[in-house]
């Protein structure tokens, strides 16, 4: 049997990651086992072990990819202060979080296996996301203050904390939690922007 090429291995790895995401989104973090992944992918039970050494490596890959993507998205968003409108930019921030990989965030939040928790914690630290997540809105508002598009007397840290917490809550809260639809959320964020002194 011919050896799998590096490109084929990468393609298979990416496909298994996608199957793992779907499995977690549908059945929750605890459902992600190597056997369940093989069933989801419609492949032999041993195939995932040819790509990932174990469940810990699979989880680390899935979580690490999304945390890195989110950090880059936050940094790019903050760097674009001064473009568009503040209201539109707050909507964009909400979209970054609301359209994030729910499977990876679910794994990061819900894993209760000690070994997996350690793996996820390592990935979170490596990504630098917690600091970026905590400071992104504050950094953005401070940049807009320097540009004169947010009032100088606005407490950027307070608004940053509250906006971040509100949007994050919409990401992680269950379907029963009351939530605005996208149009209503956009209207709310535009109202916040007006209170920031942006008209």
């Amino acid at each position: 049997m011919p050896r799998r090429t590096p490109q084929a291995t990468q393609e298979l790895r990416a496909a298994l990651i996608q199957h793992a995401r779907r499995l977690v989104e549908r059945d929750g973090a605890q459902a992600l086992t190597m056997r369940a992944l093989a069933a989801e992918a419609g492949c032999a039970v041993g195939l995932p072990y040819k790509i990932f050494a174990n469940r810990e490596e699979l989880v680390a890959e899935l979580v690490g990819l999304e945390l890195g993507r989110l950090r880059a998205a936050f940094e790019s968003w903050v760097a674009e202060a001064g473009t568009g409108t503040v209201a539109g930019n707050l909507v964009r921030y909400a979209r970054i979080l609301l359209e994030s990989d729910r499977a990876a965030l679910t794994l990061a939040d819900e894993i209760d296996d000690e070994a997996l928790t350690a793996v996820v914690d390592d990935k979170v630290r490596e990504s630098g996301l917690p600091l970026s997540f905590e400071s992104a809105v504050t950094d953005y508002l401070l940049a807009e203050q320097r540009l004169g598009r947010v009032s100088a007397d606005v407490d950027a840290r307070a608004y940053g904390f509250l906006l971040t917490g509100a949007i994050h809550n919409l990401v992680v809260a269950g379907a029963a939690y009351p939530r605005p639809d996208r149009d209503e959320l956009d209207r709310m964020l535009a109202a916040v922007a007006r209170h920031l002194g942006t008209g």
Side-chain angles (χ1 to χ4, degrees):
M1 186 174 184
R3 291 178 60 85
R4 190 177 291 111
T5 66
Q7 181 179 346
T9 298
Q10 283 303 108
E11 290 172 356
L12 179 55
R13 191 178 189 92
L16 288 173
I17 288 287
Q18 288 302 320
H19 286 297
R21 286 189 176 113
R22 280 194 289 274
L23 181 61
V24 173
E25 286 169 358
R26 187 183 66 240
D27 300 331
Q30 302 311 318
L32 182 58
T33 65
M34 299 297 268
R35 181 175 292 277
L37 175 59
E40 182 75 17
C43 66
V45 173
L47 183 59
Y49 285 103
K50 294 183 183 300
I51 304 300
F52 302 99
N54 48 40
R55 185 181 183 217
E56 286 83 357
E57 183 182 328
L58 169 63
V59 169
E61 178 92 357
L62 200 160
V63 171
L65 285 171
E66 179 60 8
L67 296 184
R69 189 198 68 78
L70 273 177
R71 181 178 179 183
F74 288 152
E75 290 174 352
S76 175
W77 176 73
V78 172
E80 291 177 12
T83 64
T85 66
V86 173
N89 291 338
L90 293 180
V91 168
R92 184 172 162 227
Y93 170 77
R95 295 290 188 271
I96 289 171
L97 272 180
L98 292 171
E99 295 169 5
S100 59
D101 183 348
R102 295 179 66 86
L105 298 182
T106 296
L107 282 167
D109 286 341
E110 294 184 6
I111 284 291
D112 62 7
D113 176 278
E114 189 173 326
L116 281 176
T117 298
V119 167
V120 169
D121 287 349
D122 285 346
K123 280 295 175 184
V124 170
R125 281 191 295 272
E126 286 172 18
S127 73
L129 181 65
L131 182 59
S132 179
F133 181 74
E134 179 183 357
S135 67
V137 178
T138 298
D139 291 345
Y140 167 75
L141 294 176
L142 289 171
E144 293 288 19
Q145 277 184 324
R146 290 190 293 271
L147 294 166
R149 302 203 323 157
V150 166
S151 298
D153 61 351
V154 163
D155 186 333
R157 187 166 183 272
Y159 273 95
F161 174 80
L162 292 171
L163 285 167
T164 299
I167 303 302
H168 181 259
N169 188 60
L170 293 179
V171 174
V172 300
Y177 185 84
R179 64 184 60 233
D181 62 23
R182 291 296 177 89
D183 289 342
E184 180 67 3
L185 179 60
D186 292 356
R187 186 196 67 75
M188 291 176 177
L189 291 171
V192 171
R194 286 194 295 275
H195 282 283
L196 295 172
T198 60

